[in-house]
Amino acid sequence: LTVGQTLPRNYSIKEVPLLLKEMSDDLGERMRDENKLTELVGLYIGYASNQGGFGRQISLINPTDDNEKLYKTIMTIFNEFIEDLPVRRISICYGKLSDVKDYEQLTLFDDGKTQEEKRNLQKMVDFIHKKYGKNLLTRASALLEESTANDRHNLIGGHRK
């Protein structure tokens, strides 16, 4: 699964994490809608004015659909490879998809009850988005000037509805 966007203007590296959070939330919702888990997280950043970019992937130890874990992985890639150049293109991909099982492999550091509560909360948000539209329930950060979430939710295939 992939989500990407060409930004309407040049973004500084301080503004990009907000967009990555919005995009990873949207992609996580799509993945849960298809009852999938991912073991591979990829990030592509394209700099403005043909200054290059980078694309990297990280394999996860356990498959997941947890927005928080996926965002942390994306930010690990971002923080390691980003250069202080204006950003114009962003893409996130989740690969090595597998079906959701009735059980989840926990680590010594995971609390099964907390994980189940987070999953139920994410599924409830997904349900509200599906029933009432994605702009009904958004993060407060979607109101910030650099946010593209509300604009992207009003597009179909990158075009205005």
Side-chain angles (χ1 to χ4, degrees):
L1 293 172
T2 303
V3 64
Q5 64 177 316
T6 299
L7 302 173
R9 62 174 174 81
N10 294 344
Y11 277 66
S12 72
I13 60 172
K14 291 179 181 171
E15 296 174 303
V16 173
L18 170 65
L19 303 179
L20 294 174
K21 181 65 177 158
E22 294 170 351
M23 292 170 68
S24 68
D25 285 349
D26 288 347
L27 198 55
E29 183 175 336
R30 279 180 46 201
M31 190 169 51
R32 283 187 299 278
D33 189 46
E34 295 180 20
N35 290 316
K36 299 290 183 184
L37 301 172
T38 183
E39 289 184 65
L40 183 73
V41 176
L43 173 65
Y44 168 75
I45 297 288
Y47 300 118
S49 304
N50 296 321
Q51 296 179 46
F54 68 87
R56 297 290 189 277
Q57 298 177 341
I58 291 181
S59 292
L60 304 174
I61 295 170
N62 293 318
T64 187
D65 62 359
D66 182 357
N67 284 351
E68 186 178 318
K69 288 180 183 178
L70 295 170
Y71 177 67
K72 283 181 181 179
T73 305
I74 290 166
M75 288 308 297
T76 299
I77 300 169
F78 179 80
N79 290 327
E80 186 172 341
F81 295 102
I82 193 68
E83 295 178 34
D84 193 9
L85 295 169
V87 174
R88 201 57 189 255
R89 292 173 307 283
I90 302 173
S91 292
I92 297 172
C93 71
Y94 296 157
K96 292 188 181 176
L97 301 176
S98 58
D99 292 329
V100 173
K101 298 177 177 74
D102 292 335
Y103 59 89
E104 179 180 358
Q105 179 67 45
L106 299 175
T107 68
L108 293 174
F109 308 107
D110 290 334
D111 176 13
K113 185 175 181 182
T114 304
Q115 288 296 104
E116 188 63 29
E117 288 171 356
K118 280 184 5 182
R119 173 170 279 128
N120 289 339
L121 176 62
Q122 289 174 347
K123 286 188 175 195
M124 182 54 64
V125 170
D126 296 347
F127 171 78
I128 291 169
H129 283 169
K130 197 172 205 170
K131 186 167 183 171
Y132 299 106
K134 290 187 177 190
N135 285 339
L136 179 73
L137 181 63
T138 61
R139 294 180 180 275
S141 59
L143 300 174
L144 296 172
E145 180 182 340
E146 60 267 21
S147 174
T148 62
N150 290 332
D151 289 337
R152 280 185 303 106
H153 294 157
N154 290 323
L155 301 175
I156 298 175
H159 302 280
R160 299 269 174 224
K161 290 182 182 178

